[in-house]
């Protein structure tokens, strides 16, 4: 909610004209990166704490790795749905983005998708190591290629040929 309030105050009632296109782009970039980084770091810090329990239960045959990871990812979804809704509700209407239920819910679905994928990336970073500090240090190097090749900073057609194999999974 703090990010939603900060975003709402920083871009309060931005007008919908050509002069503020940069502000709208900055607003959408801020919302995207705040959802991405907050969920990556939250999940990267959570999984290493659970390693001793997971390892013990795996050794005694209670469940396998795939059912555990699937349950973690699926149980996150209701939590993500509620938190993203609250944050987006505050920032969307305070900033004066296009006031329409279709536009809001389209933005909401996109933000939920961003948060869910980011939490899965955080789970990936957290599952690589049992140390929370190392897991959080892996977050930015994993996220940066997505930000760089996502199309915001550089036109997709201007991307050098050697980055196209990395860009295709990001854009699809």
């Amino acid at each position: 909610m703090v990010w939603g309030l900060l975003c709402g105050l920083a871009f309060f009632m931005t007008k919908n004209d050509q002069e503020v296109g940069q502000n709208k782009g900055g607003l959408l970039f801020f919302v995207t990166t705040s959802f991405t980084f907050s969920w990556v770091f939250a999940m990267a810090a959570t999984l290493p704490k659970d390693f001793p329990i997971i390892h013990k239960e795996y050794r005694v045959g209670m469940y396998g790795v795939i059912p555990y990871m699937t349950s973690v990812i699926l149980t996150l979804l209701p939590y993500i749905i509620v938190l993203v809704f609250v944050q987006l509700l505050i920032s969307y209407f305070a900033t004066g983005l296009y006031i329409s239920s279709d536009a809001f819910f389209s933005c909401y679905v996109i933000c939920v998708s961003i948060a869910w994928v980011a939490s899965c990336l955080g789970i990936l970073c957290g599952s690589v190591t049992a140390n929370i500090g190392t897991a959080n240090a892996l977050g930015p190097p994993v996220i940066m290629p997505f930000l760089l090749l996502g199309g915001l900073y550089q036109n997709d057609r201007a991307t050098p040929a050697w980055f196209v194999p990395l860009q295709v999974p990001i854009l699809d």
Side-chain angles (χ1 to χ4, degrees):
M1 284 188 359
V2 173
W3 287 118
L5 288 172
L6 177 65
C7 187
L9 291 173
F11 296 98
F12 185 72
M13 297 310 277
T14 305
K15 295 179 181 139
N16 288 321
D17 58 10
Q18 278 299 95
E19 294 177 9
V20 295
Q22 184 178 3
N23 289 343
K24 296 286 183 171
L27 167 67
L28 295 175
F29 177 74
F30 179 78
V31 168
T32 302
T33 54
S34 70
F35 281 130
T36 303
F37 279 99
S38 63
W39 284 100
V40 165
F41 288 132
M43 293 313 300
T46 302
L47 205 59
K49 289 187 245 178
D50 294 341
F51 267 162
I53 298 167
I54 297 166
H55 187 67
K56 177 184 172 191
E57 291 173 351
Y58 177 75
R59 262 188 298 140
V60 294
M62 290 181 73
Y63 48 78
V65 175
I66 292 174
Y68 173 76
M69 289 297 180
T70 304
S71 68
V72 167
I73 291 168
L74 290 177
T75 55
L76 276 174
L77 192 56
Y79 186 65
I80 289 171
I81 287 171
V82 170
L83 288 179
V84 168
F85 184 77
V86 170
Q87 182 176 346
L88 190 64
L89 191 67
I90 294 168
S91 61
Y92 190 90
F93 292 108
T95 56
L97 289 174
Y98 186 67
I99 307 297
S100 160
S101 61
D102 290 342
F104 173 75
F105 284 109
S106 295
C107 183
Y108 173 64
V109 167
I110 290 168
C111 288
V112 166
S113 300
I114 290 169
W116 202 21
V117 169
S119 65
C120 292
L121 285 174
I123 290 171
L124 173 70
C125 293
S127 64
V128 171
T129 180
N131 185 341
I132 295 173
T134 306
N136 280 332
L138 288 174
V142 169
I143 295 171
M144 287 304 164
F146 291 101
L147 292 177
L148 180 65
L149 299 173
L152 180 67
Y153 297 114
Q154 185 179 28
N155 191 321
D156 297 336
R157 292 181 295 272
T159 303
W162 54 85
F163 280 126
V164 171
L166 295 174
Q167 185 183 28
V168 171
I170 294 170
L171 296 176
D172 288 343

